[in-house]
Amino acid sequence: MSELGLTLARLAFLAMLWGFVIATVLILRRDLRQPADARPAGQASRKPPKQPRPTRAGRRSKVVGSQLVVVEGPLTGTVIPLSSAQVTIGRAPDSTLVIEDDYASSRHARIYSSEGSWLVEDLGSTNGTWIDRTRITSPTLLTVGAPLRVGRTTLQLQK
């Protein structure tokens, strides 16, 4: 092989290597930011659910379960008191429960109250959100004591 051919082969290999590095950085950047176009089609346009209507006395109905407790994982023992505001779970720093886990997405799941009970919704995570041994695909009722698994972390709704 001539010197020119060898030099061109080296340059082509170097260009492919740099292309791989740039593609990897762009994919990691997209995963960390997770813009709306990176989410599954049904997740980007979904509107938040309606909040429960006040009862006749003007108070909200009593919601079953008052705290979310981490029972397995690096944050074992963490207690999150539940109010009418939603709880977001994921790796993003603005999440209510920040999980430093390679198996959790930036915006993994959210828990919110609706009509006196708590619902959990997967926000298009890669590895899924699980209640007991069932992967949830739509907003699902979270019962007291049922294990909710997000990545390597397991949570429970407690009274």
Side-chain angles (χ1 to χ4, degrees):
M1 186 179 245
S2 69
E3 253 187 79
L4 178 63
L6 189 58
T7 303
L8 289 176
R10 287 178 180 168
L11 289 175
F13 178 72
L14 187 62
M16 286 187 341
L17 185 63
W18 273 107
F20 174 75
V21 168
I22 290 171
T24 303
V25 168
L26 291 175
I27 290 170
L28 288 173
R29 181 176 167 210
R30 185 188 69 197
D31 184 44
L32 291 174
R33 291 190 181 174
Q34 193 178 22
D37 61 349
R39 296 184 188 129
Q43 299 291 330
S45 63
R46 188 177 289 177
K47 295 180 181 177
K50 296 178 183 177
Q51 294 293 326
R53 294 182 182 167
T55 59
R56 288 185 188 175
R59 298 179 299 180
R60 292 185 183 238
S61 57
K62 185 176 181 182
V63 178
V64 176
S66 63
Q67 60 186 7
L68 198 60
V69 179
V70 179
V71 293
E72 285 183 30
L75 299 173
T76 301
T78 303
V79 177
I80 301 169
L82 298 173
S83 63
S84 60
Q86 71 178 6
V87 174
T88 55
I89 303 169
R91 287 186 293 143
D94 61 341
S95 297
T96 309
L97 179 62
V98 179
I99 299 176
E100 296 295 330
D101 186 350
D102 293 336
Y103 295 100
S105 298
S106 297
R107 308 256 186 283
H108 197 99
R110 73 181 182 123
I111 299 171
Y112 58 93
S113 66
S114 178
E115 299 178 8
S117 55
W118 291 102
L119 297 177
V120 61
E121 177 182 20
D122 185 79
L123 299 177
S125 65
T126 305
N127 294 316
T129 304
W130 301 75
I131 295 180
D132 288 325
R133 294 182 179 171
T134 306
R135 184 174 183 160
I136 63 170
T137 56
S138 62
T140 305
L141 179 67
L142 183 61
T143 57
V144 175
L148 170 66
R149 190 165 48 95
V150 174
R152 293 180 180 158
T153 303
T154 305
L155 304 108
Q156 275 187 347
L157 180 66
Q158 295 181 353
K159 291 185 179 183

